[in-house]
Amino acid sequence: LKLFFKIEWDIDGLDNLSKNETYLVVCNHLSLLDIPIAQGIFFNQIPFLRFFIKQELVWVPFLGQALWALEYPIMKRYSKEKLKKHPEFRGKDLETTMRSCKKLLDKPVSILNYPEGTRFTKNKHNRNKSIYENLLHPRAGGIHTVLKSLGSQLNALLDVTIVYPGHSYPGLSDFLLGRVKKIVVRIKTFELGCDGAPSVEIINNKNGSLAVRSFLNELWREKDVFISKIHNLYHK
């Protein structure tokens, strides 16, 4: 991106981060390039970013072994059909995720999570019946699991907003053809128990999941307003 494309970068919020601390990074998801952009932004700022991978990827030659060696946390998903036939599997996906997270305890680590679960498109937005203009509904289950697993050693939650002005969700061809002229990134830092973020005690109690969902919904409301503002400024 830096060598071959003339992109204007507008990044704010990288102050006071450390490679020796533990972070949960949550971000909206618009493009295949969101991950390399996040890796580039946070390189040498925080510990190497890891994100959840599907269990099936572990069996892909070379890629699977690399992801396993780098200790990427694993998630296991069950289809609705399988859960209907085997209700005993309910909750097993979260157990797998929690076990993976606990392997990362006692060392600096950064976990990247996309609460929307998939990249934004207009079709998904309509099917999702999203209340947001520029986002899909966030899911709190994975975030809550990470917070429960790493909460005691988590230094901060980083809320990242990526915007491609003039593009709702740019494809790879948009980058290759030089259509993406600017990328805006905003990073907000939340300590647990401060500025509306739930505390470790709240996260671990019986209403912890609801508290995390409420906090995440508020982040998404603010994120949606910001994205609309950037697009409106770009079109003026």
Side-chain angles (χ1 to χ4, degrees):
L1 287 172
K2 288 180 180 178
L3 287 175
F4 299 107
F5 302 98
K6 293 182 179 179
I7 295 174
E8 178 187 352
W9 292 86
D10 181 356
I11 304 170
D12 186 63
L14 286 172
D15 301 329
N16 303 316
L17 301 178
S18 171
K19 292 189 292 182
N20 299 313
E21 296 188 342
T22 293
Y23 300 97
L24 170 60
V25 182
V26 298
C27 185
N28 60 312
H29 201 4
L30 300 172
S31 167
L32 284 170
L33 290 178
D34 291 348
I35 291 175
I37 286 171
Q39 293 282 21
I41 288 168
F42 288 115
F43 183 68
N44 274 335
Q45 300 286 335
I46 63 177
F48 177 74
L49 280 173
R50 293 175 173 88
F51 47 87
F52 288 101
I53 61 170
K54 295 179 181 179
Q55 193 173 45
E56 291 78 7
L57 285 178
V58 174
W59 307 111
V60 177
F62 304 110
L63 174 64
Q65 287 75 31
L67 295 173
W68 174 81
L70 289 168
E71 296 183 312
Y72 274 63
I74 297 169
M75 64 178 181
K76 186 170 185 177
R77 291 260 176 89
Y78 296 99
S79 66
K80 292 181 179 179
E81 292 75 20
K82 187 162 187 175
L83 288 175
K84 284 181 180 179
K85 292 181 180 178
H86 301 279
E88 66 273 15
F89 288 159
R90 291 189 184 279
K92 293 290 184 182
D93 52 348
L94 294 179
E95 289 178 16
T96 302
T97 303
M98 190 168 287
R99 282 198 302 271
S100 296
C101 289
K102 286 184 176 178
K103 291 180 182 178
L104 301 173
L105 288 170
D106 303 322
K107 55 186 172 184
V109 64
S110 298
I111 300 292
L112 172 63
N113 187 281
Y114 293 104
E116 292 162 294
T118 184
R119 294 189 301 276
F120 178 95
T121 68
K122 284 295 182 186
N123 286 336
K124 292 175 185 175
H125 182 268
N126 293 333
R127 289 200 308 268
N128 195 240
K129 296 181 180 179
S130 176
I131 62 172
Y132 308 103
E133 184 178 350
N134 310 285
L135 302 162
L136 304 178
H137 285 296
R139 302 172 182 176
I143 303 291
H144 183 229
T145 301
V146 175
L147 290 173
K148 282 188 72 174
S149 303
L150 301 178
S152 58
Q153 76 171 50
L154 200 70
N155 295 100
L157 182 148
L158 305 181
D159 173 40
V160 180
T161 303
I162 297 180
V163 191
Y164 304 92
H167 299 271
S168 297
Y169 46 98
L172 185 59
S173 61
D174 293 309
F175 284 92
L176 297 177
L177 295 173
R179 294 172 185 152
V180 177
K181 305 295 185 183
K182 183 175 183 177
I183 298 175
V184 177
V185 183
R186 290 293 181 271
I187 302 146
K188 292 182 180 179
T189 302
F190 293 88
E191 293 183 15
L192 296 185
C194 302
D195 299 320
S199 65
V200 174
E201 291 75 21
I202 290 175
I203 290 165
N204 288 324
N205 72 25
K206 63 180 182 179
N207 294 319
S209 180
L210 290 174
V212 172
R213 184 179 295 116
S214 177
F215 172 65
L216 199 57
N217 286 339
E218 183 58 33
L219 289 185
W220 248 240
R221 278 191 286 270
E222 294 176 3
K223 197 183 295 285
D224 195 41
V225 170
F226 176 75
I227 293 173
S228 292
K229 179 181 177 182
I230 294 297
H231 285 312
N232 289 336
L233 287 173
Y234 184 82
H235 286 298
K236 282 185 178 180

